[in-house]
Amino acid sequence: NDKEADGKEDCLLQTDVLLVRPPDMADLWEWYAYTKRQTDSDPSWGRVWPTLSLSRLVLRSLNDGGEENTISEGGDEKNVTDKEEELMNSALDALRTSSHVVEVGCGLGVAGLSYASFVASSTAAQNNANVRTVTFLDREPYALHCAMASAQTNGLTVGPIIPPETTEESNGDAGEEALNEDNAVPAITVRAAMDDWTLPTSDENDSNDNNSPIKNICYRDLHLDNQDTILLASDIIYEPSSMQCLATKLRSLLHPTNGGYALIADPVKERTPGCRDAFVESVRELGGEVGILSMPGLEERNKGMKLLEGDVDIDGNLAETVLIVVHF
């Protein structure tokens, strides 16, 4: 357990989540090139990118139960406007109360796995009457394979996005697998689907549902029985030409009437200069609100915390990230 300066235990800032993943991006690219003959594939999903702060924010927010609605001690709070703080607080409240989390462009799925692991191990969360899900979305099928394998390795229940038909035949083995040893509904189920937000959504082009295993998933494709979602994402703002598609994507995954929130971790030093501004502009053009808040470095938060791969940026320096809160 890590201790804060005031002596309060904060045991969930860093927790054990087992990841199934390639050795590194170079080995993954060689595997694509020489085994799959795919030299144009993107191996970037094969590492934990330096936006691990989102996972810690998820764990901290769930653990404090709303008593401390702040992203950190040591963050650049003096530059946070009242409107941004209100937006963040509402988003963190939604994170604690929503039953359905969707990780967009999930890669290895670290943020979603952190959420699911907390729910599966928390007595309070297990006693929640709502059926909870985490849905991983990514265009790389091997990334989804790793995320789902990680879920199973961590003892989480996995299942399909499309619910099985409620017939006597379909309630056999599949139904038994969905129950735990006590014949109770699992606290949370992890799901996955191939997704590409540059494609037309299924609402715009129904033929897209049938012609390809990959499509632009929208809210109705999540099969959530008219319940709200909250979105998580890390390090997905790097291609300026797709920012309008991404903003549209986020809105399409939220409840069509109620709307909702997205929490996005992004490096302070942008992957592509100007890309974050293009994303913010695209969100606002669609009628959304955006707040950008500083996230603390590990040195400011807990000096005794062990550094992980995702705490170090690709230049070798300690990762610095911002939290982008989006509301539609």
Side-chain angles (χ1 to χ4, degrees):
N1 293 351
D2 296 296
K3 300 276 188 176
E4 294 183 336
D6 62 0
K8 178 184 176 182
E9 291 187 359
D10 196 3
C11 62
L12 285 177
L13 281 178
Q14 185 160 308
T15 192
D16 291 329
V17 175
L18 300 174
L19 286 181
V20 175
R21 50 165 295 182
D24 54 50
M25 289 194 297
D27 287 340
L28 178 57
W29 187 89
E30 290 186 5
W31 180 78
Y32 274 129
Y34 298 109
T35 305
K36 299 298 180 182
R37 303 293 190 269
Q38 297 174 346
T39 56
D40 60 343
S41 295
D42 182 5
S44 61
W45 62 266
R47 68 158 289 168
V48 180
W49 285 90
T51 43
L52 194 60
S53 53
L54 180 62
S55 299
R56 294 197 175 100
L57 173 65
V58 168
L59 293 170
R60 187 186 195 110
S61 299
L62 295 174
N63 192 40
D64 69 29
E67 297 176 1
E68 183 183 358
N69 250 355
T70 180
I71 55 176
S72 74
E73 296 80 21
D76 193 10
E77 295 175 355
K78 63 182 180 181
N79 292 329
V80 177
T81 66
D82 290 342
K83 188 174 182 179
E84 285 176 321
E85 184 173 5
E86 181 181 355
L87 189 64
M88 178 196 69
N89 290 342
S90 297
L92 295 183
D93 285 338
L95 176 65
R96 282 184 283 267
T97 58
S98 177
S99 297
H100 303 288
V101 169
V102 181
E103 186 170 1
V104 183
C106 67
L108 294 170
V110 179
L113 289 168
S114 299
Y115 174 89
S117 296
F118 175 88
V119 171
S121 61
S122 167
T123 302
Q126 288 175 346
N127 291 336
N128 190 304
N130 294 329
V131 176
R132 294 176 180 252
T133 64
V134 168
T135 304
F136 292 121
L137 300 179
D138 202 287
R139 65 183 179 184
E140 289 286 343
Y142 299 114
L144 296 174
H145 175 83
C146 285
M148 294 294 279
S150 295
Q152 288 194 301
T153 301
N154 286 279
L156 300 169
T157 300
V158 300
I161 286 186
I162 300 176
E165 295 180 7
T166 56
T167 63
E168 292 184 2
E169 292 183 3
S170 64
N171 285 337
D173 295 338
E176 292 177 4
E177 292 175 0
L179 302 179
N180 60 26
E181 293 179 356
D182 298 323
N183 290 327
V185 176
I188 192 163
T189 300
V190 180
R191 320 176 307 168
M194 292 175 63
D195 174 67
D196 185 346
W197 61 68
T198 66
L199 298 174
T201 66
S202 55
D203 282 337
E204 297 169 348
N205 182 6
D206 286 336
S207 65
N208 189 41
D209 286 355
N210 303 319
N211 296 337
S212 173
I214 184 170
K215 64 180 180 179
N216 189 347
I217 301 291
C218 66
Y219 178 84
R220 75 173 187 181
D221 300 314
L222 297 174
H223 297 275
L224 295 179
D225 195 24
N226 202 36
Q227 298 182 54
D228 293 342
T229 60
I230 185 165
L231 314 181
L232 302 177
S234 299
D235 220 321
I236 62 171
I237 299 175
Y238 53 83
E239 179 52 60
S241 64
S242 68
M243 290 301 95
Q244 187 174 13
C245 292
L246 175 57
T248 303
K249 171 70 177 184
L250 298 180
R251 187 179 66 172
S252 75
L253 285 170
L254 298 170
H255 192 282
T257 303
N258 301 340
Y261 296 88
L263 297 170
I264 304 171
D266 196 50
V268 169
K269 184 178 180 180
E270 295 181 78
R271 300 292 177 220
T272 306
C275 199
R276 192 150 58 223
D277 287 342
F279 172 71
V280 170
E281 182 180 354
S282 296
V283 170
R284 288 175 175 162
E285 286 178 353
L286 293 173
E289 298 178 272
V290 185
I292 301 178
L293 306 98
S294 297
M295 298 271 270
L298 288 181
E299 290 175 344
E300 295 175 316
R301 178 176 282 177
N302 277 290
K303 296 182 182 295
M305 186 179 291
K306 182 177 67 174
L307 288 177
L308 304 175
E309 176 187 354
D311 295 319
V312 180
D313 211 335
I314 53 179
D315 59 5
N317 295 320
L318 188 69
E320 294 182 279
T321 59
V322 295
L323 176 68
I324 303 174
V325 184
V326 176
H327 178 234
F328 285 105

